[in-house]
Each structure stands twice: as structure tokens, then as C-alpha cells.
Amino acid sequence: MVVKFWGQEFKVNVILGCLGGFLIAIVSSMFGFGGGPFMVPLMTVGLGLPMYVVVGSSLLAIFFNTMMGTMRHYQFGNFDLVFFAIMFPAAILGGFIGPQIAKRVSPIAMKRIAVAGLLLLALNLLGVF
Amino acid sequence: MKKGTMEMKYYLWLLIMIIIAIGISFPPNDLWAQKALDARLGPEGKAGQVLAAKAGEPTGPTAMPVTIQVDKTILNNGGTITVSGHAAPGQPVYLEIWSEKKVRASRFDADVDKNTGKRPYVLCMTDEMPAYYQIYVPQDQKGILDRVKKEGPGWSLTKVLKDLGAEAVCSVPLQAKIDQYQASLMGSIIGSRGELLPIMDKKENARRSMQLLKARARKPEKLIVSAIEMAPDGAYHAQVKIPDGLVPGRYSIVAIAGGDPSRSQPVHIENQIHFPNIYLANAGTSLNLIGPFFLSLGIAIFGVLMGAGGGFMLNPLLVSLWPLPHTIVAGTVMPTVLFSQGTGIYNYSKIKFINWKLGSAIGLAMVAGGFLGPKLTELITLDQFKFVFGWILIILASLMFWQTTPRYLSKNKKEQAILKEFKKKAEETMKKK
């Protein structure tokens, strides 16, 4: 598959991407984790895509999984409406503000932000905090 | 070509709407289960009445009535109450404290059963767990509690109460009507609760309610506090700390004298909270809504910027900063993240930072993987998983960082081109200003 972005063409091995996504989803859903943070390195390092395309596409990829997980939690009754009502406007706002910032930030900086996020998650998993 | 991708987008939204519609049209099994349960109980009434413990009457012939009093009856979002009273000399005194407001507690039993060697996959659920529940024990039993803390996550509430001589103390949770559902592994993936099982006998209900209490509290020190000072003549007093951020409303405190368990009459306290603290009915706790709002705002922005959901940061932060039960947090964070992803996708597509075909192809592959994952939880423990993936993430993060170093950029023409394009656009917007 060829991905076009800002006048450049990127050749992407879709099979590799789907296989990677499949494996990541298996592994992260074993313990109730969202696959999001693993998807970003897959696309940048594994598929060689520029960061700008990666952010939107990875959000799209994990969207379906998150939706299924949401329905599952809802059926198990783990949902507090008031709590959700507090965080819901913040989430929507975040979804609007985020891309506005992404537009103005260089791809290098965006990648470094993602690196920071990954490191935070890694430290969390390793028990540092 | 453009027309093709436009159609694709609309089909995608249609697919999403259909999935949501299916998800909503399966109502939570509550309605069916309640009807089935009522039909089963028939004219005898609710199961809860059968299991209710008698309170207020001293039992044996030599029993002395236990007295109790408190120094204040109104609390403003938590506080410390001094509880004192009198019991027969030489007997340990315990306090059972619970809130009137009830909350839902559930536990999915998927641990291997020691007797049968198989995993039961049974979901235990009750809507009548007190939102706040604590047992106070005499100070001299602190050693037993410290030992339990060291046991780690495998501690047993029933065993602890036995060791403390407090088996008869825990009564209110036992009155909760608990429903059991036989779920299947596939059912647990898509969220169906499964079939309602027949009502349990008293002993099994007690065992399950202990499990649910433990699941909600997680750590023994959250349920049991050793703080009662006993005097040789049978007088006792204790400082009962009600933390802030808990459920408002009426609380009851009952004193129980061990040995021959006689209960005092309950004392009632009123815990009030004011805006901007609000009560989360399902979580059973209250919190100041300003904090979580800004926290989730910050994390939503960061998550959308990063290309991930943000749930992996929101979850641990919410649990560690506020006294929220982790199951409710997990269940509420997920739809929150879902919406931040959704609006992120929408806004990214407006600036074309997204590739629909790639994203949806990988997305569907992930859904397939999501079905497989829970079946494999038996292969690896949580700690192993955390260790392996912690390190994998570090390696991946360093690879990504290497992609931003000047050396890599000089070899990769396409990245350079994109960087140049970005700088050009930045200059253009500067010139416009």
C-alpha cells in the first residue's frame, strides 16, 4: 500500500501492519490493556511512517478495540455515570485541542512526546511508579 | 480516487453506528435477571430477609449489654469521631461501621478452583454492598494485621476475621443479596453476563460476600483497623477516622463484644459533602470534580498528541490520587478515552493527519486479536507480562528516539522532506501574521 503525505510517498507493508496489530491486540487484551501505546512504535519504527500520519491512524486503529472494551465494562457494571460526566467534556476538549497543537509542532517534537509517553508507561509497568 | 476515499469514510461511520446500536440494544442483563429472580423467590420474599442477622439482643445468660456512644454526629466530608462505651470486662470489643448508601460490587471468579481444578467463570454481583465498610478491632491485635499485610494480594478475609476472633462481627455485608451468573469465556469477551444461577445457601452467600468485600477494598488495612483501646473494667474507646472523599449520608456504628457476641444498639452519624464535591453513585465515593476534570483534560491532550488513548496514564493516576475503586475507574476511563480518540480522529482527519485505509485495516486486525487475548491469560503471569513489556517499550522508545536524531534524518530523505515542508508551512503562517 502506498501512503501519500505532503507530497511524499511511503510504501507500507500492510500485511506486516495487520499482523503486528493482531499480535499486539492479543497480548495487550490478555490483561485488559489498551493497545494504543504499542501501536505508535509499530507504525513509526515498524512501518516507517512519518509521525503526522501515525497519530491519526493509530487513534483509528485502537478506536474499535476501545469501543469493544467499553461495551464489555458497561455490561459488567463498572461504569459510573457521574464520574463519566465529569471527564467527558475534558475528553472532547482534548480531542479538539490535541490536533491544533499537533499542527503547530514539528514532527521531531511530536515523536519525542510519544517517546516520553512510552517511557512513562514502561516505568509504570516495571514498577518504578 | 478522492471520491473513493470519501465513500470509505462514510461506510466507516456507518459501521461504527451499527456497532454502537447493537451494543445499546442488548440491555444490561439487570432487567431480565431481576425478573427471573423475583419469579424464583415467589411469595417467600427477598433472599436478604432470610439471611438477616439479629441485632441488639444480648445472647447467653451471663451476657452484659454492650453500650456505645459518640462525641459528634455530624461530619463535614469526613472527620474523626471518638467512640466509647462499656462491655463485659475482659472481652475484646469490635466496631462494625457501615454507610447506609449501598453500591454495586462485582467479582468475576476466574481463578482455578482448588477442588475441581477448573476455572468457574462465575460473575458474582450485588447491588447492596455498603459503600463504606470498616471493622475496628482492639489495638493489641495489630500484630495479626501486620502479618496479614505481608501476605500480599492472596489474603483471605474469612481467615483474617477468624484469627482476630471477629467472625461474628461482619454482618451487614452478609445481608446483601448476591446474584451469581455462569459466564463463558467468549461471553466475558463481548460482555454478556451469562445465565443466572440458583440462589446460594447462607454459607456460600457469606463466602461470596467476603470475596466481594475484599475485591472492593483490595488491601486488608482498608477494611480492618486496629484502634480500640480497652480498659480492664470493660470500658473501651476508639478514634474512628472517616476519610474525606467518601460516601455522604447516614453511617451506623455498632459495637460487638467478642467471646459471646452481643451487639450494642447502633449509633448514627451523618456525613455531609458540599459542592464542588459530588457523590459518584456507582463508585461509592465522592470527589472534588475540578481535579479529575483537569487531569483528564491534560491526559486527553497528551494522548491525542501521542497517537494513543491516554487510558494507560489516566487509570493509574486516578486510582492513586483519589480513593476510587479501580474497577469503576477502568470502566469509566475507557468510554472517556473512546470519546477523546473519536474527536481526535475527527479533528485529525480535518487536517489530514490520518490514513483511513491503513488505520481501519490494522483496527480490524486488532479486534480479531482482542477476541483471542483473554483466552491466553493462563500462559503468563501479570508480573512476567509487566516485566517483559516494560523492557520492550523501553527498547521501542529508544528506537523511536533514534529516529529523531540528526544522524538518522540525514539518511532518510523522506523524513527530511516532511520536516522541510513543516518548516515551510510554519514560515508561511508567520508571514501571514
Side-chain angles (χ1 to χ4, degrees), chain B residues 30 43 49 56 73 102 115 161-162 166 185 231 252 262 270 298 307 387:
Chain B
D30 263 338
Q49 288 171 356
T73 54
K102 305 276 186 290
N115 299 332
L161 289 179
K162 227 194 231 172
L185 181 55
S252 307
S262 41
E270 186 78 28
F387 183 75

Side-chain angles (χ1 to χ4, degrees), chain B residues 137-150 164 224-228:
Chain B
V137 303
Q139 263 185 347
D140 53 21
Q141 294 189 318
K142 192 166 183 305
I144 303 182
L145 281 178
D146 288 338
R147 190 174 43 82
V148 176
K149 276 192 224 180
K150 293 207 183 88
L164 293 167
I224 309 179
V225 180
S226 71
I228 304 184

